[in-house]
Amino acid sequence: MRGTRGVSRALNSRTKKVTQAVCAMGVLTAALLTVSTTPAAASGTYSGLAYVYGAGAWQGDWSNEGVVDVDTNRTSNATCLWQKVLWADGYLSSTADIDGDFGTQTKTATANWQSRYGLGADGSAGKNTWTKAGTWLYYVSGSEQSGQTLTLGYNGAVRDFTMTRDANGNYQFWDGDGVKRTAGYNYRTCS
């Protein structure tokens, strides 16, 4: 006949194994959620909007933008706007390089741009990179009021360009072919 101490020991052993298994599942679930979340969403700083967006005072508009790089939003109009910044600062040589495809050339140009401004030169345009670029925006005309259009410029090291923030707060710019585009993350119409 087994004593109560033996039964208690067996139950404690099983309880410990179940607890360890539950803990392991929790760690695995957290790891999977972290891996499957995009960098912008994982940081908790991305606005989650489909467009490069601003509201109210234009200063700081680009401080919560999503990631554009070789893995995230690689082909998009937001990438095209980022390439326009690189072109204005002399890191892309021609308007033909403004095609909305974040390839090797754009990654290298982005890393060089980041090095120039003391950022981590990973070649990925995320929150810190967009925020830094936003410090060179300047007012041209229009109103910051909701429902109004605002025209802003980008003060590049080599050349400037203008863009608008439409009545919905979405940024629009002229691509390499001179066509006005809305800077969206989920599609690419610039070429």
Side-chain angles (χ1 to χ4, degrees), residues 21-103:
V22 169
C23 288
M25 289 298 292
V27 169
L28 179 60
T29 301
L32 287 173
L33 287 174
T34 301
V35 169
S36 66
T37 306
T38 62
S43 69
T45 56
Y46 169 49
S47 69
L49 299 172
Y51 304 97
V52 175
Y53 176 82
W58 55 268
Q59 297 90 340
D61 269 1
W62 288 1
S63 65
N64 64 347
E65 290 309 319
V67 174
V68 292
D69 62 20
V70 296
D71 297 316
T72 307
N73 303 310
R74 178 184 177 130
T75 56
S76 68
N77 281 8
T79 294
C80 201
L81 175 58
W82 175 247
Q83 289 171 326
K84 187 94 177 199
V85 168
L86 293 172
W87 169 79
D89 283 330
Y91 290 96
L92 294 177
S93 59
S94 73
T95 56
D97 297 329
I98 304 169
D99 62 2
D101 186 2
F102 202 112

